[in-house]
Amino acid sequence: MNTPPESARRPDDGLAQNAFRGGLLEQVQGLPEAWREALSAPHLQSILGKLDAMLEQRLAQGAQIFPLRPFRALIEIPPEDVQIVIVGQDPYHGPNQAQGLAFSVPDFCPTPPSLRNMFKELALEYGEPAAPQRNSLVRWARQGVLLLNTSLTVEAHQPASHARQGWEHVTDALIMRVLREPRPKVLLLWGSHAQARQALLETQPAHGPVHVLRANHPSPLSALRPPRPFIGCGHFQAANEWLQTHGEAGVDWMLARTPAAAPGYGG
């Protein structure tokens, strides 16, 4: 991957607050034990080492990479507390957007189109909220929603720039770790990248009940298209109804505030 020439760089390419600053392996070592163990297999350690080297090389070449903490989603929730897994593609590639949680941006950011469609679907299912939804989805993560992208890093203004670099093996291992838990769980698979993860259920049968719901990606390019339009899919209510029939509380999708303190990019 070549460094873009100066003429191709945008005027907002100064170091963003949420820019990755290196030290991927150190971040892995700082993960909670259950997640760290999920990444301990030799082949995964080799992949993480190659990702670390790739990221350091791109930083040295002047690339700006997001987010600051690629594993943020794992900090918010241990595998045994996961009720729902939502799989995205890769982080937002604009400065000061990606938080390390799929689809989520800080509240001060404009609402990205995919997240706007998620809020539109929620309004269809639950009615319009009294106040606008907050863009930070930390409140969902702390209720048991694992917001995991397939690739955990991206370069500024270059969507999918770190796809097929090894991240998919890492994130698949994290999903498989969740599947080892006996707790009932729902997989919300939106779009082809996410739906490819369903094959993991054949690789490693789940230890507890699993319900899979599939639809198109919430992006405006696909949200209304067949065969499974995202708008009108009813997934948020359907996930809760299934969880509640299996003795779980489900998620308050319309919760207005984040439980406990909610730092922006790196806390």
Side-chain angles (χ1 to χ4, degrees):
M1 202 177 300
N2 296 321
T3 305
E6 289 292 334
S7 60
R9 297 183 186 179
R10 302 191 183 190
D12 59 2
D13 277 352
L15 188 63
Q17 187 179 353
N18 70 325
F20 179 71
R21 291 165 172 78
L24 184 74
L25 295 181
E26 288 82 356
Q27 292 195 28
V28 172
Q29 289 305 309
L31 290 174
E33 182 179 357
W35 292 122
R36 197 168 64 248
E37 182 272 335
L39 300 176
S40 64
H43 75 285
L44 292 171
Q45 289 294 302
S46 175
I47 290 169
L48 287 165
K50 291 176 182 176
L51 282 166
D52 180 63
M54 181 272 290
L55 293 169
E56 295 296 333
Q57 179 183 36
R58 293 299 295 135
L59 289 173
Q61 292 170 340
Q64 187 161 217
I65 297 168
F66 307 123
L68 175 65
R69 298 182 69 185
F71 296 103
R72 170 73 183 279
L74 309 183
I75 301 297
E76 296 296 345
I77 180 172
E80 63 268 19
D81 287 349
V82 174
Q83 298 185 79
I84 295 175
V85 180
I86 296 179
V87 183
Q89 294 185 15
D90 60 346
Y92 296 116
H93 53 84
N96 296 321
Q97 291 183 307
Q99 295 176 293
L101 301 164
F103 295 106
S104 178
V105 297
D107 292 332
F108 62 76
C109 286
T111 309
S114 293
L115 184 57
R116 190 180 306 123
N117 277 337
M118 291 165 65
F119 292 159
K120 182 177 180 179
E121 174 59 25
L122 278 167
L124 288 174
E125 296 184 35
Y126 290 98
E128 291 287 349
Q133 287 270 29
R134 293 178 55 188
N135 290 338
S136 173
L137 304 180
V138 175
R139 64 190 182 281
W140 293 0
R142 292 179 180 173
Q143 295 183 78
V145 183
L146 179 62
L147 296 158
L148 190 68
N149 282 310
T150 307
S151 296
L152 298 187
T153 56
V154 71
E155 296 192 15
H157 314 302
Q158 297 184 53
S161 49
H162 289 178
R164 295 178 294 279
Q165 296 288 331
W167 274 126
E168 295 84 353
H169 299 286
V170 173
T171 51
D172 281 356
L174 297 172
I175 295 171
M176 291 174 72
R177 176 63 183 85
V178 172
L179 294 176
R180 282 166 46 192
E181 292 293 329
R183 185 172 192 169
K185 58 196 72 70
V186 178
L187 303 184
L188 298 183
L189 304 182
W190 302 331
S192 59
H193 281 259
Q195 288 165 17
R197 289 6 314 145
Q198 188 167 355
L200 296 173
L201 292 168
E202 301 171 7
T203 304
Q204 176 182 297
H207 289 197
V210 177
H211 188 44
V212 178
L213 295 170
R214 299 190 298 165
N216 289 357
H217 193 275
S219 162
L221 298 175
S222 58
L224 292 170
R225 292 183 178 179
R228 297 184 178 91
F230 176 80
I231 299 298
C233 68
H235 279 187
F236 296 103
Q237 279 190 334
N240 272 347
E241 289 169 0
W242 184 88
L243 285 168
Q244 288 160 7
T245 63
H246 287 78
E248 297 291 338
V251 174
D252 182 355
W253 301 107
M254 307 299 279
L255 183 69
R257 63 182 179 83
T258 300
Y265 296 111

